[in-house]
Amino acid sequence: MSVEANGSSAAATTAGGSLQSICYERGSLRLLDQRKLPLETVYLDVKDSTDGWTAIRDMVVRGAPAIAIAAALSLAVEVCNLDFNGTSEDASSLLIKKLEYLVSSRPTAVNLSDAVEKLRSLVLKTVETATEAKTVFQAYIDAAETMLIDDVASNKAIGFHGAKHLRSNLEGLEKISVLTHCNTGSLATAGYGTALGVIRAVQSEGFLEKAFCTETRPFNQGSRLTAFELVHDRIPATLIADSAVAFLMKAGRVNAVVVGADRIAANGDTANKIGTYNVALSAFHHGIQFYVAAPITSIDLSISSGEQIVIEERSAKELLHSDGGLGKQVAASGISVWNPAFDVTYLYGVIIKKASDEAFDIKGFIENAKHM
Ligand SMILES: CSC[C@H]1O[C@H](OP(=O)(O)O)[C@H](O)[C@@H]1O
């Protein structure tokens, strides 16, 4: 990978002023190295699926939607620049082999495996009629690029409906304070964000008092990334330690919690960043509304409960060293470490806003989803 460095953190934005972690043009992919935010803006040049796999595993790019899109586009760039002399069947085999490799980069977020499965099906359907390799490659590239565009539209819809729901369910309040955990904004998606997209929408509609973001130890997605996004968008916000959540709620300063999701099982069990379960328990204890904001593709109907969700365990170094493992040693050598990157929370209900603007509870959704 080649790198392009720019000392100013302002450079991580597009001309339109929105934050962009994925910079893609046909044949070229650059990923914002989120390990260096908020102090440095460094883009890594991703030339192929191997670069893509490494960038995802090392959390150069992270966030359930973002890793799916980065994986798909890293392979699009690879085949766009490939000097290939094989048949259409050879092209199909190459793409499928690379997709199966990319899905192994991180196990928990369903978005990656969902995207890989959709792209795999598209390739197999294309090769049924394609007579040339370039036809198969072009169909893949078009589909990967569509994922990038669709994600932003999906996030803005989540934001709109989430803000509408919060306004109607907290109608006694002129303004509301919303707590979020981890990073679910433009840096975790193709743009705008999911849970942070809801906060953006509440802010843009003028009824946000304050956003509270947690540090989100040990990788600090909250202090390094969410705080960066909130400051960038000039959204009134306060950073708190993960361990301060219950005390803040006890003080009556939180009206709702909105978090993201990495994978939602058919019974409503939701895998999200480690610490989400703690936040949910505190919200339940204090009678605070707790929401997950996620695209429908985050719901994995193939698993009946959270017991079947593979929880990624990451390096002990993320706890033994400061700055999520990137800094100096802070813990004693020889101590054992348990470092699950996600936990599982049972969701009482899921609110799905469809074209008919109808809402389903989780059981209603499952029944409905089977016929979608
Ligand atoms: C909309 S991002 C969803 C999800 O992804 C994050 O995990 P990571 O930073 O390890 O990729 C976090 O769990 C977010 O809530």
Side-chain angles (χ1 to χ4, degrees), residues 34 56 59 61-67 106 109 111 155 181-185 187-189 193-196 216 219 221 225 259-262 271-274 276 293-295 298 312 314 341-342:
Q34 299 189 28
I56 293 165
M59 295 177 76
V61 60
R62 31 63 50 202
I67 63 177
R106 291 186 76 191
N111 310 58
N155 297 336
H181 184 64
C182 196
N183 174 257
T184 59
L187 296 172
T189 65
T194 55
L196 201 53
T216 315
F219 203 70
Q221 289 93 332
L225 306 176
V259 298
D262 291 85
N272 195 50
K273 183 51 47 199
I274 188 72
T276 302
S298 297
E312 177 187 5
R314 292 190 64 87
F342 302 94

Side-chain angles (χ1 to χ4, degrees), residues 161 296 351-360 365 368-369 372:
H161 287 301
I296 282 181
I351 295 166
I352 302 295
K353 293 284 182 182
K354 292 161 49 58
S356 61
D357 203 20
E358 197 174 349
F360 298 86
F365 173 76
N368 187 59
M372 273 183 182

Side-chain angles (χ1 to χ4, degrees), residues 147-319:
M147 287 183 171
L148 180 65
I149 296 162
D150 287 354
D151 185 61
V152 178
S154 164
N155 297 336
K156 290 188 172 173
I158 290 168
F160 173 78
H161 287 301
K164 185 178 170 188
H165 185 81
L166 286 174
R167 187 192 283 274
S168 62
N169 269 36
L170 293 164
E171 55 191 359
L173 300 172
E174 188 178 332
K175 288 197 171 188
I176 64 173
S177 292
V178 182
L179 182 140
T180 194
H181 184 64
C182 196
N183 174 257
T184 59
S186 296
L187 296 172
T189 65
Y192 198 74
T194 55
L196 201 53
V198 172
I199 289 173
R200 285 190 161 106
V202 173
Q203 167 71 0
S204 66
E205 292 180 23
F207 69 107
L208 182 75
E209 179 68 34
K210 184 183 282 282
F212 288 101
C213 59
T214 61
E215 284 180 308
T216 315
R217 292 268 307 134
F219 203 70
N220 302 319
Q221 289 93 332
S223 54
R224 293 189 303 105
L225 306 176
T226 299
F228 177 64
E229 292 203 39
L230 291 165
V231 168
H232 174 271
D233 286 15
R234 295 185 171 81
I235 293 172
T238 297
L239 172 66
I240 66 169
D242 299 341
S243 48
V245 165
F247 194 40
L248 186 72
M249 290 177 171
K250 184 180 179 184
R253 297 180 59 191
V254 178
N255 303 117
V257 175
V258 186
V259 298
D262 291 85
R263 192 182 294 253
I264 303 172
N267 72 341
D269 281 345
T270 297
N272 195 50
K273 183 51 47 199
I274 188 72
T276 302
Y277 183 47
N278 298 29
V279 172
L281 289 175
S282 298
F284 182 75
H285 177 76
H286 292 283
I288 293 169
Q289 295 178 35
F290 177 93
Y291 295 98
V292 164
I296 282 181
T297 48
S298 297
I299 298 178
D300 181 357
L301 296 176
S302 72
I303 56 171
S304 56
S305 83
E307 296 295 319
Q308 295 162 273
I309 299 176
V310 175
I311 299 296
E312 177 187 5
E313 291 202 19
R314 292 190 64 87
S315 161
K317 197 176 175 189
E318 291 186 0
L319 274 78

